[in-house]
Amino acid sequence: MQLCDSVKGRKWYQATDVAEEYEDKRFSRGGRLIDRRERRAVLDALAPIEDREVLEIACGTGRFTVMLAERGADIVGLDISGAMLSQGRGKARAAGVSDQVEFMRGDAGRLPFPDDSFDTVFAMRFFHLADTPAAYLAEMRRVARETVFFDTFNSFSARTAYNWALPMGSRLYKRSEVERLVAESGLSLVGADHDFLLPYGFYRQIPRRLAGGIRSLDTAIGGTGVGQRAASVSFWRAEV
């Protein structure tokens, strides 16, 4: 199967050492608050989960894949990195859910599934790497029967201050751009949640104990109109 060449940082992402260190670097210290928030976003958007057929695009180390399998989903996790998928398979075995999860190496731009194969299709931490987001979203819509869920990093946010320093870079989106992409793919946007005034990179650099207080302030300000407009992350839920 041909892998997609348009994803930023493809070689870096597929390195074995990157896969082995991925979660420790992103979800230790204050990064644990990010992990908690992202898990809640996925669970809220995909509910109900039990007995649902789910496809996760760019599943990485299986962080969400295994979580959903533990809650009764029948799930396929697709990723371009064999090293990341190996991590996911190990997690599934440890959690005792290997029979509910299939990990596949493949191209998100050419999904190897018939139309309407899954109740829900979702992708977390993927669209900031996509050079052709419309093509990916169209494929997600094609194989989804009901729901498509994904996140984006926002252009009008503090993330712009350090985006250039990231190993893969990031595509930053205007909300109007996401709304247009959703509409042009034939989906209907039914929910959007905007969060994190301070970007993810900030939380990863500080101890969890300190991060908790800062996150409380971030959440309080983020709940205001100004805070919502300046959020660095958006979670989008659309229906077929």
Side-chain angles (χ1 to χ4, degrees):
M1 182 179 300
Q2 181 181 2
L3 301 180
C4 181
D5 290 323
S6 63
V7 176
K8 296 178 182 178
R10 177 170 171 254
K11 291 183 179 179
W12 176 88
Y13 177 77
Q14 294 187 78
T16 299
D17 60 335
V18 170
E20 292 174 346
E21 299 173 357
Y22 184 82
E23 295 196 19
D24 286 342
K25 286 188 174 181
R26 284 158 179 76
F27 307 119
S28 59
R29 297 167 60 86
R32 294 182 184 179
L33 299 176
I34 301 168
D35 179 54
R36 182 188 304 169
R37 176 64 177 100
E38 290 183 332
R39 288 175 184 269
R40 179 164 62 84
V42 170
L43 291 172
D44 288 348
L46 273 59
I49 294 167
E50 189 172 3
D51 297 326
R52 306 289 280 177
E53 294 182 309
V54 179
L55 171 64
E56 180 181 3
I57 303 294
C59 66
T61 60
R63 186 163 54 106
F64 303 115
T65 327
V66 172
M67 176 187 74
L68 294 173
E70 289 177 319
R71 287 161 174 77
D74 183 8
I75 185 165
V76 175
L78 183 138
D79 201 277
I80 63 170
S81 170
M84 290 281 186
L85 292 170
S86 179
Q87 294 286 317
R89 292 186 183 101
K91 286 184 182 179
R93 287 193 297 271
V97 295
S98 294
D99 60 336
Q100 292 172 244
V101 179
E102 180 181 3
F103 287 102
M104 297 179 59
R105 192 173 186 217
D107 183 352
R110 303 175 185 85
L111 295 174
F113 309 106
D115 295 356
D116 307 323
S117 291
F118 301 92
D119 297 311
T120 299
V121 180
F122 78 102
M124 292 289 288
R125 298 192 178 221
F126 173 69
F127 276 88
H128 70 291
L129 303 175
D131 291 339
T132 56
Y136 292 114
L137 193 56
E139 273 293 272
M140 292 173 70
R141 185 259 176 268
R142 181 183 67 78
V143 301
R145 290 191 288 265
E146 298 176 10
T147 303
V148 170
F149 177 69
F150 62 100
D151 66 335
T152 59
F153 293 139
N154 301 324
S155 58
F156 183 65
S157 73
R159 188 176 177 89
T160 58
Y162 77 102
N163 197 46
W164 60 271
L166 300 176
M168 293 186 291
S170 287
R171 182 187 181 104
L172 304 182
Y173 292 80
K174 295 180 179 178
R175 295 185 192 180
S176 59
E177 180 183 6
V178 176
E179 292 168 354
R180 176 180 55 79
L181 287 168
V182 169
E184 290 179 352
S185 70
L187 292 162
S188 298
L189 187 63
V190 296
D193 198 4
H194 313 291
D195 205 342
F196 285 98
L197 284 176
L198 296 171
Y200 287 167
F202 172 82
Y203 283 98
R204 295 190 193 108
Q205 301 305 315
I206 58 177
R208 185 180 183 184
R209 187 172 183 178
L210 177 60
I214 295 174
R215 174 62 175 151
S216 295
L217 181 61
D218 188 321
T219 302
I221 299 174
T224 67
V226 172
Q228 287 283 291
R229 288 192 293 273
S232 64
V233 180
S234 293
F235 305 102
W236 307 91
R237 186 176 186 273
E239 293 182 351
V240 175

